Amino acid sequence: MVLKYITISLMVVGLGLLLTSLQPVRKICQEKECTDLTWNFIFALVMLFIAGYIAQLVMLSRLSVPGLAEMLVTAVFFGGSLFVLLITRSSLSSIEYIRRISALELHYAYHDQLTGLPNRNFLYEKVDGLIKENDRQHFEFAVLMMDLNQFKEINDSMGHQAGDKLIQYVATRIKKILRVTDTFVRLGGDEFAVLLPGADEKTANTVALSIVQFMREPFEVDRRQIPIGLSIGVARYPDDGASADILIQHADVAMYQAKESGTGYAFYDASADQYTSERLNMLCNLRDAMDNHEITLHYQPIVDLGRKNVWGVEALARWQHAELGMVMPGEFIPLAVQSNLMRPLSQYILQAAIQQMAQWRDDDIELRMSVNLSMHDIQDALLPEKLRSLIERYRINPARLFLEITESSVMTDSRSVRMVIEQLHEMGVSLAIDDFGTGYSSLAYLKQIPADEIKIDKSFVRDMTRDDNDAVIVRTTIDLAHNMGRQVIAEGVEDRDAYDLLEILRCDLAQGYYICKPLPEAELRHWLKRGGTGEAVPWLSPSPA
């Protein structure tokens, strides 16, 4: 009798397990909308299994004492029901996990992980959707492209973690002033965009102005007040483009126009697009220009005012573009910064300058060489090692190589920048503080910088004979530098009066168009052979020191 109860109990429990397994099977069929015949077939098998269980239970209830065969069948039935339950539950769990992963991947495909905002893919699909909808009902909308000003400098000096916080704060602030119907996306880096459905020119203008004004208040990041503005480009449908690609591209063009003009925001202007297109074309060709040696160096002589001879030269980059002709650094250097090509470009210029120094040494022309470095360059921890390799390769005297670093760069609190400057100094390379007087530096901090030379910014030198304030700044800077044991160079000497005044003020070195314009290497050699003689300075020595 006990065996009968045990056998029936196992069958009842097994039947319960089978009935429980019906729920995951039914849920799987619903998830797949009953289109997968395999799971429908399994559902039917489970139902048949349940019918077999019921038949077995009826048979067992009629037996007084179940035999060995009945007990074995019962054990098989129970094991089978347990197996079915485990398989169906495991399958459902796997399917739900895959579905969650797929949903997560789909979310990340259309959303930015840092801010949670929709991303570029979402924007393109949204704009395409509005354009298709416009085929049925005519309406207009606007796309606003936004780029933070000076974000890279903040990110490099404060660190990527602080930069990420700033991006999140910016996203939160801008989102507060937008309508529920507006689509706010992060395109990547420090770029955002806003899609304004149904917006005419007046509405787009109001929204752009509101964002610019709302961004004027500084952000607090790591207990520091960070002021950061942005530039906005506006393109409207259908006036400025009939497809998502063209519309967003034109908004991007307008954004660069706003950044260059400093107006905060600008609407797309087709008449101004030709220049910007050339600019974007240059951006695409810049790396190839280095590979093809289209970027060359011109050299502007620097004279020693006391010894009346040529002290050295400053290397200035020029781009001989196949279509645009001679492109000046003021046009392509900002592009290098924006496209993260500044460090490769500086490395290219450094190598060309050092290689030229070696060639001059072999030709018994001993000229000092000044090369400009940007903030991005001195933030490169590998710069000292790269420079050491070039110096050893071309066997030049490092003391005759002057690296010009802007005043604002050396005044940074970045520990990595200070380490790079110290390593360069230990290598024997000479350092010069460029654009002095424009960075509002602390004199106490300036004293700690191992600079050999201070270069007075040309904005003071150019007008010092006409503006007493500029003359006072130049005189004070010369006295300050001499008291600190530094040499002084004045750039931007464009007439004889400025030259004579610098002599009176005991300035050490000078450069400018009055002395000589930047020259290609071959023309510089010719100029030196003539003793640097020109109508302006016929007194220069024919053998530069």
Side-chain angles (χ1 to χ4, degrees), residues 327-528:
V327 181
M328 304 302 284
E331 297 181 63
F332 65 84
I333 292 296
L335 294 179
V337 173
Q338 293 169 12
S339 57
N340 294 323
L341 288 176
M342 194 63 236
R343 289 179 182 176
L345 178 60
S346 295
Q347 180 73 9
Y348 175 92
I349 293 172
L350 270 173
Q351 179 169 346
I354 292 175
Q355 186 176 5
Q356 186 61 67
M357 288 179 69
Q359 182 63 54
W360 284 338
R361 178 203 60 219
D362 295 341
D363 295 341
D364 294 325
I365 301 175
E366 291 294 333
L367 289 174
R368 297 170 181 84
M369 179 78 76
S370 288
V371 181
N372 291 281
L373 295 181
S374 70
M375 165 74 84
H376 307 281
D377 299 320
I378 63 170
Q379 289 173 339
D380 183 5
L382 299 177
L383 174 64
E385 190 56 40
K386 295 175 183 175
L387 188 57
R388 189 191 311 277
S389 175
L390 289 173
I391 291 172
E392 292 175 353
R393 176 181 174 184
Y394 292 101
R395 296 177 291 107
I396 66 161
N397 181 359
R400 301 188 76 84
L401 175 63
F402 281 71
L403 300 181
E404 297 187 8
I405 307 169
T406 61
E407 181 185 3
S408 56
S409 298
V410 299
M411 291 305 117
T412 179
D413 289 331
S414 172
R415 183 178 179 183
S416 60
V417 168
R418 293 198 298 271
M419 287 181 62
V420 168
I421 291 175
E422 290 170 2
Q423 290 177 40
L424 293 174
H425 177 67
E426 291 170 359
M427 288 168 53
V429 174
S430 301
L431 298 175
I433 299 178
D434 195 13
D435 300 337
F436 187 81
T438 62
Y440 309 102
S441 59
S442 163
L443 297 181
Y445 187 73
L446 179 63
K447 190 175 180 179
Q448 303 172 19
I449 301 299
D452 303 275
E453 180 181 282
I454 289 178
K455 196 169 189 178
I456 305 175
D457 186 66
K458 59 186 176 184
S459 62
F460 303 114
V461 176
R462 188 187 299 120
D463 297 326
M464 67 179 179
T465 58
R466 296 178 294 274
D467 188 320
D468 291 340
N469 291 327
D470 285 345
V472 169
I473 291 174
V474 172
R475 182 187 301 112
T476 304
T477 303
I478 293 173
D479 292 340
L480 170 68
H482 287 166
N483 290 334
M484 295 172 65
R486 312 288 169 81
Q487 190 169 235
V488 183
I489 177 172
E491 64 174 336
V493 181
E494 298 182 357
D495 54 49
R496 183 57 185 263
D497 291 340
Y499 185 91
D500 291 342
L501 181 56
L502 288 172
E503 279 194 305
I504 294 172
L505 296 176
R506 296 183 300 111
C507 185
D508 302 296
L509 308 169
Q511 73 179 104
Y513 276 75
Y514 171 71
I515 298 167
C516 185
K517 67 179 181 180
L519 298 172
E521 198 272 337
E523 293 184 25
L524 177 69
R525 282 177 179 263
H526 180 66
W527 187 83
L528 291 171

